[in-house]
Structures are given as C-alpha cells and as structure tokens.
Amino acid sequence: MSFLKSLVSTILSICLVLTLSIDSVGAQSSNIEKDEVKVQKFTENELKKIEQEMEKWSKLIDENKRYELLDKLRNGEVWDSINHEKKMKSLVQPEEKKFEFTEADGSVTAGTMFTYPDGSITITSVSGGTSTCGTGYCNYKGRKVLETDFTQSGEFKANYTTVQDDDDYISKVYDYVIVAGNDSYSDAELSIDTKYESYGDPAYAYLRWQASGYTHYVKLYVGDDIAWSEAEF
C-alpha cells in the first residue's frame, strides 16, 4: 500500500512538471509571436499631416503610391523605412535613386530617394535658399538640408560656399526643425563638425537628436563644388 501511494505520488509529480513545462513553452511562444507583430498606430490627424508631407513630393511619389502607403499605416502596418529593428539588423535594404529638379522660384532641389522593399520611402535633400556667384565661387544662403520618411523628419538651414580649385566651406547652420512623429525628442544638437573641405574630405555639419530610443542624424556635406545630405534614422 505504501509502495502504491509512493508510485501515485511520483506519477502526479511528473505530470505536474510536464504540465508546467508545456504551459511555460506555450507562454514563451505566445510572447515571441506577440513581439514579432509590430503595430504602429497613428491618429487621423497624424495621418493627415503625413499625407500633406507626401504631397510636397508629388514630383517623386505619385498619388496611387501615397494612398497605398497611407492605407498601410491605417491598417497598423509598420513601414520598413521606420522599422528600426529591421534596419539595425540589415534585414531591409533600400534602393537609391538620385534626383534633381528646379523649383518654381528657380532654386534647385537635389537629393536621394530611398525606396524600401515594402514601398515605403525616405528622402534626403538640399533645397531652396539663394545663391550669389562670381569668378570661381558661389555663396549659398538659407539652403534647407532635410531628411524625411513622412512620419518623422529633421531639417536645418545652412550657408556655405563652393570655391573652384580650392576648399569649399560651411559658414553657418541654423533654424533646425525636428518632427518626431507620435513620439517626443531630446538632446538636439546642431553643429558644424568640419568647417573646411580638406585633402578630399568634405566640410561637414549635422543635426542630431534622440527619439524612440535611437540617435538620429541629418548631415550636410560640402566638397568638390557640390553639397549633399545624408541621414541616419
């Protein structure tokens, strides 16, 4: 009798351990599945602002593409362009396309459009401002350096000079604007890191800030008589 009680007790203990183990595995599996489903929520007011930002780039993004991307956000899908985890792990690689066009005021907008596998887009550009050119040089004032994925953006203005057969330089950066989507930002810094082009290395200025647990950059480079922007979002 004592032996039977001991045997039953042992069997019950084994069943309890197995049950707990199965529950634990199921809970972990559920958590993993939950973590893998990334959801990005935007209010209708935020979606309207995103739509307005996209409309500004109608030269590059047609109306059907804009509606398609907005529908993805309404469905709670996370664009590849704003999926930090995928980008940090190099799980998505965008296609690059250089562009340049003349605005109605005669100023030139030049930059790069990055298109991700899901169709989402990031744009970097240098645009606007005024220019005064003389023999072998051009002074640019109020040029806007921008990076946007339409849910968030960073921009600043810059004055710089290109000099033929000599070093280009950045003289001033100012008036930065940061839009952090449905998040807040902190630790913003706008600075000229390298004022003068030197030995083939361009002059360099940047806008940096913290948002969503990541460091973001919008960068301006001036060298070889041209200016261009880059970004890290």
Side-chain angles (χ1 to χ4, degrees):
M1 199 72 177
S2 171
F3 171 76
L4 287 175
K5 287 179 66 179
S6 176
L7 179 62
V8 170
S9 177
T10 300
I11 292 171
L12 288 174
S13 297
I14 292 171
C15 289
L16 180 61
V17 169
L18 287 173
T19 300
L20 291 174
S21 297
I22 291 170
D23 288 345
S24 176
V25 170
Q28 289 178 9
S29 176
S30 176
N31 286 336
I32 291 172
E33 290 175 2
K34 184 177 180 181
D35 288 342
E36 287 177 347
V37 179
K38 303 293 183 182
V39 178
Q40 183 82 43
K41 292 294 185 181
F42 291 92
T43 66
E44 280 302 318
N45 187 47
E46 288 169 339
L47 288 169
K48 185 65 177 177
K49 290 180 179 178
I50 292 170
E51 182 178 9
Q52 290 170 349
E53 286 302 308
M54 294 176 75
E55 286 174 355
K56 294 177 183 178
W57 295 94
S58 59
K59 289 185 176 71
L60 300 176
I61 312 168
D62 64 40
E63 191 173 31
N64 290 334
K65 173 58 69 176
R66 298 201 299 268
Y67 288 153
E68 179 185 323
L69 290 171
L70 287 166
D71 283 343
K72 285 185 176 182
L73 292 185
R74 286 193 176 92
N75 293 333
E77 296 181 46
V78 180
W79 290 348
D80 287 344
S81 61
I82 59 177
N83 191 319
H84 296 292
E85 289 81 5
K86 279 189 175 182
K87 290 200 290 186
M88 291 291 286
K89 295 175 182 177
S90 298
L91 297 177
V92 290
Q93 295 293 335
E95 292 183 2
E96 296 185 27
K97 178 184 177 181
K98 301 291 183 183
F99 63 85
E100 184 175 310
F101 51 81
T102 303
E103 304 285 1
D105 61 3
S107 65
V108 174
T109 295
T112 306
M113 181 170 73
F114 300 88
T115 303
Y116 287 82
D118 68 345
S120 56
I121 293 165
T122 295
I123 289 174
T124 66
S125 67
V126 180
S127 65
T130 60
S131 62
T132 304
C133 298
T135 303
Y137 74 92
C138 281
N139 289 324
Y140 297 89
K141 291 186 177 181
R143 293 282 275 166
K144 183 170 74 173
V145 184
L146 168 72
E147 199 281 352
T148 182
D149 61 25
F150 312 112
T151 69
Q152 56 186 333
S153 64
E155 66 179 68
F156 62 92
K157 290 182 179 178
N159 299 346
Y160 60 85
T161 299
T162 60
V163 185
Q164 187 177 358
D165 299 324
D166 207 343
D167 295 335
D168 302 338
Y169 61 92
I170 302 170
S171 53
K172 184 179 181 180
V173 291
Y174 54 102
D175 291 353
Y176 73 82
V177 178
I178 296 169
V179 177
N182 52 12
D183 199 359
S184 59
Y185 71 88
S186 62
D187 302 325
E189 180 184 5
L190 177 61
S191 178
I192 298 174
D193 180 86
T194 307
K195 184 171 184 176
Y196 289 93
E197 177 186 15
S198 179
Y199 299 104
D201 293 327
Y204 164 53
Y206 65 86
L207 171 63
R208 179 177 64 201
W209 70 97
Q210 296 283 334
S212 305
Y214 296 88
T215 302
H216 305 265
Y217 281 90
V218 177
K219 305 174 182 180
L220 169 67
Y221 293 97
V222 182
D224 291 332
D225 300 339
I226 59 171
W228 68 97
S229 61
E230 294 181 1
E232 291 180 25
F233 262 35

